[in-house]
Amino acid sequence: MPSILSDALYINLITRISISLRRKGISLRHVIFALAFSVSLWTLYYAYRRRTTVSFPEEAVYYPPEPPEIWAERAVQVKKAFLHAYHGYERYAAPWDELKPVTHGKVNNFNGWGVTAIDSLDTMLMMGLKDEYQRALSIVQQSNFSLPENTAVPFFETVIRYLGGLLSAYAMSKDNILRTRADELGSILAPAFNTSSVDVGGSIGILAEIASFQMEYTYLGKITGKKEHVDRATKVTRLFSQADLRAFGGMYPTRWNLTSGSWADGHLSVGAAADSAHEYTLKQYLLTAQTDKANLEMYLRATTHIINDLLFISPERQLLYVTDTHTNGNSSRPSHLFEHLSCFFPGLLALGAHTLPLDQLDILGIDLNDLGSNLFPGARKGYAAASSYNLKDLHLWAAEGLAQTCWLTYADQPSGLGPDVVLMQSGGRSWMEAMGSWKRWGSKGPPPGVGHKLPWSDDAIRPHSQSKTKDYLVKTATYYLRPETIESFYILWRVTGDVRWRHHGWAVFQAIEREAKTDSGYANVDKVMGSPAQQLDSMPSYFLAETLKYLYLLFIDEDIVPLEKWVFNTEAHPLPIFEWSQREREAYGIL
C-alpha cells in the first residue's frame, strides 16, 4: 500500500509541475532541450578543464643519487681535463693569449698579455694546482699591459677576464703581486671613462660593455683604498638608476648614447649585448653586503619585465625559453630566438631566489607594484600579475624551466652539445599567460614548462607523451665551449639540492670529452647536430676559467665558494662579499 501511495503522489507532483509549466508557455520539449543543453555545457567545461590541466605534463625521469665517491671521481676527471688543456696551452702557446688546439698554434686576440694564464688563476687555486699556479704568476709579472700605438683595448673582455682574474686570485691567495697588477691595469683602463657617461669607443655603447665592470672596480677600490676606482662603479649605477625606462617595463635596452646617457633603441634582451649588465645589478647588490638598494631595484624591475614579456612556452613540447623583443611604443615584437648566452639567466634567477627575501620584500622597504607605478599601463599590469604569486617561487620555477630547456638543446643533439642559437617554433604563448591558466585551474601538476621532460628522439618508436617535433630549428650549429648552461646547473644544484643538475652536467662533460678533445686541448665544435662534430681551431680562455671551473664545483661535495660569501663575476671569477666601513662610506660618498 505505501508503494502505491508514493507512486500516486509522484505522478500527482509531475502532473502539477507539467500544468504549471504549460500555463507559463513552457512545454516538455523545452525542458528536454534545456536539460540536453546543460549536459552539453558541462561536458565541454570538463573537457576544457581536463585539457587545460594536462597541457603541461611531466614525463617520468629518474636520476639516481650517486654516492659521494662517484662524484669525487668525476671531479678528478674534470681536473685532468683542465690539466690537459692548460698544459697544451703552456707547451704550444704561452705566454700568448690562446691556444689553437687543432694545429697546436697560438693567437694574440686579447691584447697579447697571456689571457689564458690570468683567466685560469683562480681555477688552479680551487683545484689545488700549485705548480701550474706558480708558473702562471710569472706570466702575470712579465705582462706589461701595453699595446702598440693606435691599437684598441677591448674594454669589456679586458675587465672581466684580466682584471677579474687578478682580483679573484688575489682574494683567494693574498699574493700582493696580483693586487699590484690589478691596480695598474685598472688605472690603465681609466681613459675609457673620460666622457659624460662611459666611453668604450664610439658614440653608441652596448649595454653589456658599458655596465659590466661595477663589481671589479668596486672590489679594486676596496682592496686598494682608492676612491677613483669606486667612483667609476658608482657612476654607472647612478646613470642607469636615473634612466627613463617607462616604455620598457623598467628593463634596459641594449644600445645607449654615451654622450647623453640615454637609451638609443628599443631592443630588449638577456642574450648577446645585454646579458652581464642584468647580471651585475643583483651581483653588485650582493657583493656590497646587500646595501646597494639602487641595484636591487634595478634587478627587480628588469626580472619582472623579463618574466612578463620575454618568457614564452613552445606549442608542442611546452619548453620554457627566454627571447629578445623589439619595443616600439605600446607594442613589442618577440624574435623567438633562444641564445646559449641566455642560459646564464636561470642561474641568476636561482641565485636571487636563494639570497633575497623575494616573498618578503616589504622588510627591505620595497613594494613590487610601487616599483612599476611610473611605467606604461601594460607594464603595470605585468607587475600586478607577478605580485599575485609568491615571488620566490615564481623566480625559482622560471629558473628550473629555463635551465631544463637549455639542457634539452644539448641532449636533443647527437653530439650531446648545445647549439649557439635556436629559433623556437611560433604558436606558443607567453609564460605568464600559461601561468595564469595553470593558477585558475587549481595549480595542478608542475607549473608550465617546469615538469621533467625527456630529450627528443626521431626514432620511429617514441614515448607516447613525446612530441613529434623538437619545437625549434637550429640557427647557429656551433658549440663554443660556452659555460652558461653549466653555470646554471651549478647554481641550481647548490640552491635546490636536486641531483638532476649534476647528472646533466656530467652528460655535458662526457660530450665535451668525446667531441671537443684534441691532442693539445679542447676545440670549439661545429655542426652539433651530428657526431662526430667538426672541430674548430680555437680554445677560448673562458673554457678553463668558467666551463671547467663550474663543472668541477658541480661535482665536488665541499662548497668551497659558498654563494652566501662569494659572488662570481660574469667570467666566473669569485669575489668575496664585503661591507664598507663608516670611514669608507664617508670618504667615497657611498650612501
Side-chain angles (χ1 to χ4, degrees):
M1 179 66 75
S3 176
I4 295 173
L5 287 174
S6 62
D7 288 346
L9 289 172
Y10 176 75
I11 293 170
N12 183 48
L13 177 63
I14 294 297
T15 302
R16 291 175 62 186
I17 292 174
S18 178
I19 293 170
S20 176
L21 289 174
R22 281 200 300 271
R23 288 174 179 173
K24 296 179 180 181
I26 302 174
S27 67
L28 183 60
R29 185 174 57 185
H30 291 130
V31 173
I32 294 172
F33 177 81
L35 289 172
F37 184 69
S38 298
V39 170
S40 299
L41 285 178
W42 278 106
T43 301
L44 289 172
Y45 170 78
Y46 281 108
Y48 175 75
R49 181 168 183 172
R50 284 197 303 270
R51 187 174 66 251
T52 303
T53 56
V54 302
S55 60
F56 311 112
E58 181 171 27
E59 296 171 330
V61 184
Y62 174 68
Y63 299 101
E66 304 283 11
E69 54 269 24
I70 294 294
W71 292 112
E73 173 56 30
R74 290 171 178 176
V76 169
Q77 292 190 45
V78 175
K79 183 188 293 190
K80 289 179 179 178
F82 178 90
L83 288 171
H84 175 69
Y86 192 74
H87 288 166
Y89 165 75
E90 285 187 309
R91 180 178 180 182
Y92 296 108
W96 285 43
D97 281 335
E98 291 181 348
L99 169 70
K100 301 178 75 173
V102 175
T103 60
H104 310 319
K106 56 189 177 182
V107 59
N108 275 332
N109 51 351
F110 290 103
N111 309 327
W113 302 338
V115 69
T116 295
I118 295 176
D119 221 4
S120 301
L121 288 169
D122 54 7
T123 309
M124 299 172 192
L125 289 168
M126 291 181 196
M127 293 181 174
L129 303 176
K130 297 179 181 179
D131 293 341
E132 286 75 13
Y133 173 74
Q134 289 298 324
R135 293 197 297 269
L137 276 185
S138 66
I139 295 178
V140 173
Q141 294 170 328
Q142 295 166 13
S143 296
N144 58 17
F145 297 149
S146 64
L147 288 170
E149 191 174 351
N150 298 322
T151 302
V153 170
F155 177 78
F156 170 71
E157 299 291 352
T158 302
V159 167
I160 66 171
R161 300 194 196 204
Y162 284 105
L163 186 56
L166 293 168
L167 292 171
S168 180
Y170 169 75
M172 292 183 172
S173 69
K174 294 299 185 286
D175 284 332
N176 285 326
I177 182 62
L178 298 170
R179 178 176 58 184
T180 300
R181 300 309 327 258
D183 187 21
E184 293 173 7
L185 180 57
S187 298
I188 288 170
L189 295 174
F193 301 91
N194 292 337
T195 69
S196 59
S197 54
V198 180
D199 184 5
V200 289
S203 60
I204 299 296
I206 301 302
L207 180 63
E209 296 182 356
I210 64 176
S212 302
F213 58 83
Q214 303 93 301
M215 292 178 63
E216 293 83 359
Y217 272 89
T218 298
Y219 184 63
L220 181 59
K222 176 67 175 178
I223 64 176
T224 62
K226 292 187 176 181
K227 182 177 183 295
E228 59 266 31
H229 294 321
V230 179
D231 286 346
R232 288 162 188 147
T234 56
K235 183 178 182 179
V236 74
T237 297
R238 185 168 58 252
L239 168 72
F240 283 106
S241 65
Q242 296 172 355
D244 181 2
L245 303 173
R246 288 174 296 174
F248 310 113
M251 186 179 175
Y252 301 102
T254 58
R255 290 163 56 84
W256 288 75
N257 185 305
L258 297 179
T259 302
S260 66
S262 59
W263 50 268
D265 71 3
H267 180 222
L268 304 178
S269 174
V270 297
D275 45 7
S276 52
H278 304 304
E279 180 183 357
Y280 273 33
T281 54
L282 172 64
K283 292 186 173 182
Q284 180 74 356
Y285 175 73
L286 298 178
L287 180 67
T288 54
Q290 303 192 23
T291 57
D292 186 346
K293 191 174 180 180
N295 270 296
L296 172 61
E297 291 180 347
M298 288 189 283
Y299 171 74
L300 292 171
R301 287 191 183 100
T303 51
T304 300
H305 185 75
I306 292 165
I307 286 172
N308 274 295
D309 279 56
L310 274 68
L311 297 192
F312 290 84
I313 291 284
S314 70
E316 297 294 331
R317 295 173 75 187
Q318 305 293 312
L319 304 179
L320 177 59
Y321 63 97
V322 60
T323 190
D324 58 333
T325 64
H326 290 81
T327 300
N328 184 11
N330 291 322
S331 64
S332 64
R333 177 171 49 86
S335 73
H336 296 292
L337 292 172
F338 181 42
E339 303 175 53
H340 191 291
L341 286 170
S342 300
C343 285
F344 86 95
F345 189 61
L348 185 68
L349 289 174
L351 179 64
H354 179 64
T355 56
L356 302 177
L358 291 177
D359 51 348
Q360 294 179 301
L361 288 175
D362 57 305
I363 68 176
L364 301 178
I366 293 176
D367 181 278
L368 193 64
N369 284 308
D370 287 346
L371 287 181
S373 61
N374 68 333
L375 303 175
F376 287 178
R380 290 202 301 270
K381 290 180 181 178
Y383 278 60
S387 297
S388 69
Y389 294 86
N390 179 305
L391 203 59
K392 181 175 182 177
D393 289 343
L394 189 68
H395 280 220
L396 197 53
W397 288 332
E400 292 175 335
L402 288 168
Q404 177 174 243
T405 303
C406 293
W407 152 243
L408 289 172
T409 64
Y410 279 71
D412 287 348
Q413 316 308 323
S415 68
L417 297 174
D420 205 51
V421 183
V422 300
L423 175 63
M424 303 301 293
Q425 182 178 334
S426 61
R429 54 178 172 164
S430 78
W431 187 57
M432 285 299 282
E433 180 186 348
M435 286 293 293
S437 297
W438 175 76
K439 187 177 181 181
R440 283 191 300 273
W441 295 109
S443 305
K444 295 183 178 180
V450 179
H452 292 289
K453 298 182 188 301
L454 293 168
W456 186 83
S457 172
D458 59 0
D459 293 341
I461 301 176
R462 59 169 63 86
H464 177 70
S465 62
Q466 193 174 83
S467 168
K468 296 181 180 179
T469 174
K470 290 180 181 178
D471 265 13
Y472 61 83
L473 296 174
V474 173
K475 295 290 288 183
T476 303
T478 308
Y479 173 62
Y480 292 104
L481 297 174
R482 292 201 191 276
E484 292 81 15
T485 296
I486 302 298
E487 173 186 1
S488 287
F489 291 170
Y490 161 66
I491 296 174
L492 278 163
W493 154 243
R494 286 299 176 188
V495 168
T496 68
D498 189 338
V499 73
R500 66 166 155 157
W501 305 115
R502 291 181 116 180
H503 283 281
H504 293 342
W506 175 241
V508 172
F509 176 71
Q510 289 179 299
I512 290 171
E513 285 286 292
R514 183 178 63 249
E515 304 289 341
K517 191 172 186 178
T518 72
D519 291 342
S520 59
Y522 293 83
N524 294 342
V525 296
D526 198 12
K527 299 180 175 59
V528 297
M529 298 92 75
S531 180
Q534 178 183 337
Q535 294 182 339
L536 305 175
D537 203 12
S538 175
M539 185 177 77
S541 70
Y542 60 68
F543 177 66
L544 292 89
E546 300 187 72
T547 308
L548 292 178
K549 179 187 294 167
Y550 281 128
L551 282 166
Y552 181 74
L553 293 174
L554 181 62
F555 298 153
I556 61 172
D557 278 339
E558 183 183 0
D559 192 1
I560 60 177
V561 278
L563 299 177
E564 298 80 14
K565 296 181 179 180
W566 297 82
V567 186
F568 290 87
N569 86 334
T570 196
E571 189 77 5
H573 296 308
L575 301 176
I577 292 172
F578 68 88
E579 291 189 58
W580 296 113
S581 68
Q582 186 59 37
R583 182 193 63 79
E584 289 170 328
R585 287 182 172 279
E586 294 172 356
Y588 302 155
I590 299 172
L591 301 178

